[in-house]
Amino acid sequence: MKKFRFPLRSVATVRSMIELRAREQFSRAVQASVAAEKKLIEQRARVSELESILRSGRLTRFLAADQATFMAALKDETAIITKFTADLNSARREMESARQAWLESRRDVRVIENLEQKARTAHLHEVERENQAAMDDRTGAMVARASFNLT
């Protein structure tokens, strides 16, 4: 029986390494997206807390200096929300492009895997055919020997 040899083994190895790197890049992009989303949520909570302080300050004695300071802080914190939202959108776009790159590299790996499976199947059929031919030859030789001995 012949040993199975796949001529595209080196191509499969290279494509597997590329797929692994793409998967790792996607994982990093997902982590960056989650971190950006967490920062945005925390910033929104900070703005919400600042707004509640501002509202509660209006219920008591009005201090113009405090109100002006809180309004300036609220404006700055809201600007940070805008920046964090842009960062989150950028991280999501990067994550989607990394996902597409990973899926594309995964398709390339699957193509090679399918080719290898077809080559294995063809190899097994060839080995079975050779084994059957060898058994037929042996049976034929035994019949010929038996009929030679009878005469």
Side-chain angles (χ1 to χ4, degrees):
M1 178 162 92
K2 292 190 293 185
K3 183 177 177 182
F4 175 73
R5 291 197 36 150
F6 186 58
L8 298 176
R9 173 60 39 211
S10 59
V11 175
T13 302
V14 169
R15 286 190 179 180
S16 293
M17 290 186 328
I18 291 170
E19 190 260 341
L20 177 64
R21 287 188 193 117
R23 186 176 23 176
E24 290 171 349
Q25 181 64 32
F26 174 65
S27 176
R28 283 191 295 273
V30 167
Q31 290 173 350
S33 177
V34 167
E37 189 170 1
K38 183 179 177 186
K39 284 172 56 177
L40 180 61
I41 289 170
E42 289 171 355
Q43 185 64 26
R44 284 183 177 157
R46 207 172 310 143
V47 167
S48 176
E49 182 181 330
L50 191 57
E51 286 174 344
S52 71
I53 290 172
L54 200 62
R55 271 189 235 107
S56 68
R58 289 181 181 163
L59 296 175
T60 60
R61 201 174 77 191
F62 182 76
L63 297 172
D66 287 347
Q67 290 295 315
T69 303
F70 280 126
M71 289 301 288
L74 182 63
K75 181 181 175 186
D76 292 342
E77 296 294 320
T78 305
I80 292 173
I81 283 181
T82 305
K83 179 192 177 301
F84 285 172
T85 302
D87 291 347
L88 176 61
N89 290 336
S90 174
R92 285 182 177 163
R93 281 191 301 274
E94 186 176 322
M95 182 179 71
E96 190 56 37
S97 68
R99 178 194 323 264
Q100 292 303 319
W102 175 41
L103 290 175
E104 184 177 315
S105 65
R106 183 68 192 138
R107 269 186 241 115
D108 291 344
V109 168
R110 285 188 179 151
V111 165
I112 294 295
E113 287 172 351
N114 289 340
L115 287 174
E116 182 175 8
Q117 187 60 36
K118 287 178 184 177
R120 264 187 207 286
T121 303
H123 173 75
L124 288 175
H125 287 310
E126 181 64 24
V127 166
E128 287 294 322
R129 189 190 63 73
E130 288 176 1
N131 288 342
Q132 188 63 43
M135 286 192 303
D136 290 346
D137 287 346
R138 185 163 185 194
T139 303
M142 288 173 65
V143 167
R145 226 181 279 139
S147 64
F148 179 74
N149 287 338
L150 289 176
T151 55

